[in-house]
Amino acid sequence: MPPLSTMKAIVVEKPGGTEVLEVRSHHPVPTPQEGQLLVKNRICGVNYIDTYFRTGLYPSAKPEILGREAVGTVVALGPGANPYNFQVSDRVAWMATSGYAEYSAVPQASAVKVPEEISDEDVMASFLSGLTVLSLAKETYPVQKGDWVLLHAAAGGAGFLMTQILKIIGAKVIGTAGGPEKVELVKSLGADYVIDYRSEEGKDWVKQVKEITGGRGVDVVYDSVGKDTWEGSLEAVKRKGTIVWFGNASGPVPPLPLNKLSPKCVKVARPTLFGYIETREELEFYVNELFSLLKSGQLKVKVHKVYPLEEVAQAHNDLEGRKSTGKLLLKA
Ligand SMILES: NC(=O)c1ccc[n+]([C@@H]2O[C@H](COP(=O)([O-])OP(=O)(O)OC[C@H]3O[C@@H](n4cnc5c(N)ncnc54)[C@H](OP(=O)(O)O)[C@@H]3O)[C@@H](O)[C@H]2O)c1
């Protein structure tokens, strides 16, 4: 069936709270340009980065359709070359922009065909988040068997997958999570220790990390919480250790005087997924790894909830309100 001329989409006209998420039911369907595919989305991923673009923490041109990933079916190809042999009716997952919509025009180079064995929900629960954590564990700091790793927000969309990847590698994992249910979830993934950093006993998580590691500290901290945890992360890392700051769930890390790193010779990284996955080769490398982990059953996914597109504000409220575990999805 040819695409309609208008579609449902979530449009943000100006930065702000969840009230700026406008549900439009007659937004124009984009026309695929040279090198693009028109995809009829079925499920879109909700990622914390979407909230940064909504609030303006990360600047972006407005009006804007939020959403950095979706899975759906190719309904049209733009003119020009077709280097990856896409065809109408291919089932694809993609990472680009404007995902909170029934249709998205996306660069061919950002889309991949999804094997039949992997469901729409499973691919969206692990696509952007899974590719992120694979690149963090392989490239930002190449985690080795036996490394002590501190992972904050271990029950979240990225954290749920990262805990498993770290255990597959053979690292010793100390996770943090807010509340007893999240703690149990992270334990069930095989984390060696899990600290409820919102509880009275868990508030001094730095001391606990030191005790667990025999006073030494961890080899690497993966910190996506940012403002509230960065000082503790700096204390909890070992001499010559690495801190990977990869997100701002509680707000950005303030400007850091570099001499704070010198007493322990600490290395700091501030990676982004799109910095590691820029070329087609890089995308295919990580996608192949992700898909084989999913197909073999080694990597499990967790969907917090699939929300109708119209309930996007609720999804953002739940994510920012720390109410979710695993991944939030929108049904296009
Ligand atoms: N650099 C990159 O390329 C990249 C790519 C993907 C994701 N990320 C980052 O990874 C992090 C996780 O993303 P996600 O989409 O999977 O989200 P998520 O982990 O599902 O949700 C964020 C979690 O952060 C924790 N948190 C701690 N303090 C918080 C606060 N003040 N407000 C809200 N949440 C707080 C909460 O878990 P607790 O209740 O357990 O504390 C919350 O569930 C985000 O920081 C995101 O920006 C970065």
Side-chain angles (χ1 to χ4, degrees):
M1 202 174 71
L4 305 168
S5 58
T6 64
M7 63 176 185
K8 224 179 327 172
I10 307 302
V11 180
V12 169
E13 289 278 356
K14 57 176 191 322
T18 51
E19 72 286 351
V20 301
L21 295 161
E22 286 178 36
V23 183
R24 302 252 174 100
S25 41
H26 296 289
H27 197 80
V29 172
T31 304
Q33 305 299 309
E34 184 160 352
Q36 289 188 326
L37 306 171
L38 182 66
V39 180
K40 174 145 186 20
N41 300 320
R42 276 186 300 279
I43 297 188
C44 330
V46 178
N47 292 290
Y48 223 94
I49 195 171
D50 304 341
T51 72
Y52 307 148
F53 287 115
R54 192 202 73 221
T55 60
L57 175 67
Y58 289 0
S60 54
K62 305 276 187 292
E64 175 184 18
I65 297 176
L66 297 181
R68 287 294 188 270
E69 61 175 340
V71 59
T73 301
V74 175
V75 289
L77 281 84
N82 180 12
Y84 314 114
N85 295 316
F86 285 112
Q87 289 177 9
V88 166
S89 86
D90 278 344
R91 182 167 162 258
V92 294
W94 59 262
M95 282 192 301
T97 58
S98 309
Y100 291 4
E102 285 179 290
Y103 293 90
S104 304
V106 300
Q108 292 177 11
S110 310
V112 294
K113 293 173 200 170
V114 182
E116 260 177 39
E117 309 93 290
I118 305 175
S119 71
D120 283 350
E121 286 197 13
D122 285 2
V123 76
M124 265 308 100
S126 62
F127 200 57
L128 189 149
S129 309
L131 298 174
T132 300
V133 305
L134 286 172
S135 65
L136 293 178
K138 256 192 194 299
E139 289 199 57
T140 317
Y141 172 92
V143 179
Q144 304 297 313
K145 188 172 177 194
D147 278 348
W148 275 109
V149 181
L150 173 61
L151 171 67
H152 290 307
F160 182 87
L161 301 171
M162 185 70 167
T163 306
Q164 296 175 75
I165 297 295
L166 293 171
K167 288 314 298 176
I168 291 169
I169 295 170
K172 291 178 284 195
V173 179
I174 307 172
T176 62
E181 275 176 35
K182 290 188 180 186
V183 166
E184 285 312 310
L185 179 68
V186 181
K187 277 190 190 157
S188 77
L189 299 172
D192 299 84
Y193 297 86
V194 189
I195 303 171
D196 179 352
Y197 56 3
R198 294 183 84 180
S199 70
E200 212 35 56
E201 323 77 82
K203 265 190 191 151
D204 203 352
W205 51 269
V206 174
K207 191 165 157 240
Q208 292 188 37
V209 170
K210 287 281 179 65
E211 279 166 10
I212 293 166
T213 56
R216 180 173 160 270
V218 292
D219 295 282
V220 58
V221 186
Y222 285 99
D223 188 337
S224 64
V225 173
K227 184 165 77 61
D228 292 351
T229 44
W230 73 274
E231 282 179 277
S233 296
L234 200 49
E235 274 187 69
V237 77
K238 72 167 195 185
R239 184 175 66 89
K240 298 196 265 186
T242 301
I243 303 179
V244 180
W245 271 304
F246 70 104
N248 328 282
S250 66
V253 174
L256 178 70
L258 287 179
N259 58 11
K260 281 215 168 218
L261 308 178
S262 56
K264 289 198 286 185
C265 298
V266 169
K267 297 184 202 78
V268 172
R270 181 52 180 97
T272 67
L273 170 63
F274 295 103
Y276 287 121
I277 300 186
E278 200 180 275
T279 66
R280 182 72 190 179
E281 231 181 334
E282 288 164 338
L283 177 67
E284 286 181 1
F285 173 81
Y286 282 110
V287 164
N288 287 340
E289 176 148 5
L290 176 67
F291 285 175
S292 59
L293 285 165
L294 290 172
K295 284 196 277 189
S296 69
Q298 271 184 292
L299 186 67
K300 308 273 181 244
V301 304
K302 181 173 190 307
V303 174
H304 175 70
K305 186 173 165 184
V306 186
Y307 300 74
L309 202 52
E310 294 82 353
E311 290 176 21
V312 60
Q314 186 61 52
H316 276 216
N317 282 330
D318 290 348
L319 183 62
E320 294 176 288
R322 306 171 79 163
K323 296 203 176 95
S324 59
T325 52
K327 185 94 179 193
L328 298 82
L329 301 175
L330 297 173
K331 197 167 176 13

